[in-house]
């Protein structure tokens, strides 16, 4: 049975569940930053996803990336699966801007997280994903 890692749960807000992944917003207003967590037990690496579900994962990464581009118009999107701190497989999709606090470097460990003060970003993302699911 799938159980979300406690650190991810504590550091993020749930946006929605797609067919394979739970989508969550990182509580760091420095960057629009989504995390996709495949809802399958025991996954730690991308190649652990069953072959018959791998295209589904990449489709969901693409859907999330398109929503991020549409809502935030970033200079670049960073997409990465790192498991150095949290071993549960999760994929980061981070909208980056030339004026963000760590541009053009990595976001990890470079600048303190700035928690969201309101739910505007969360609400915009929830609405975008509802539209996606409505049209699917």
């Amino acid at each position: 049975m799938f159980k979300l890692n406690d650190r991810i749960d504590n550091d993020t807000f749930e946006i929605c569940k797609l067919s394979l992944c739970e989508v969550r917003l990182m509580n760091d207003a420095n960057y629009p930053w989504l995390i996709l967590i495949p809802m399958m037990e025991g996954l730690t690496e991308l190649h652990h996803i069953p072959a018959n579900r791998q295209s589904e994962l990449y489709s969901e990464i693409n859907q999330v990336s398109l929503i991020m581009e549409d809502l935030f118009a970033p200079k670049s999107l960073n997409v990465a699966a790192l498991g150095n701190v949290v071993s549960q497989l999760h994929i980061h999709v981070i909208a980056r801007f030339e004026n963000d606090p760590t541009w053009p470097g990595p976001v990890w460990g470079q600048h303190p997280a700035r928690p969201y003060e309101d739910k505007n970003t969360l609400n915009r993302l929830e609405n975008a994903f509802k539209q996606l699911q409505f049209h699917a």
Side-chain angles (χ1 to χ4, degrees), residues 30-87:
N30 290 310
Y31 325 90
W33 181 343
L34 294 181
I35 299 177
L36 289 83
I37 309 98
M39 295 178 288
M40 300 176 78
E41 189 60 36
L43 300 178
T44 58
E45 303 293 340
L46 284 170
H47 64 274
H48 293 166
I49 298 224
N52 66 337
R53 308 267 334 248
Q54 289 178 3
S55 63
E56 188 177 356
L57 172 65
Y58 288 104
S59 176
E60 290 183 4
I61 291 169
N62 287 341
Q63 290 172 338
V64 168
S65 297
L66 289 169
I67 286 173
M68 294 287 274
E69 282 183 336
D70 185 49
L71 289 182
F72 302 107
K75 174 75 173 175
S76 177
L77 278 177
N78 293 175
V79 178
L82 304 171
N84 301 354
V85 176
V86 173
S87 63

Side-chain angles (χ1 to χ4, degrees), residues 3 7 15 22 27 29 31 44 54-55 60 98 104 107 136:
K3 180 182 180 331
R7 182 169 182 158
I15 300 291
E22 182 170 332
N27 189 15
Y31 325 90
T44 58
Q54 289 178 3
S55 63
E60 290 183 4
E98 290 177 331
V107 298

Side-chain angles (χ1 to χ4, degrees), residues 15 25 71-72 116-128:
I15 300 291
L25 172 66
L71 289 182
F72 302 107
Y116 283 98
E117 295 178 5
D118 59 47
K119 295 194 182 247
N120 290 340
T121 299
L122 179 64
N123 292 338
R124 288 176 65 201
L125 286 161
E126 286 175 338
N127 288 334

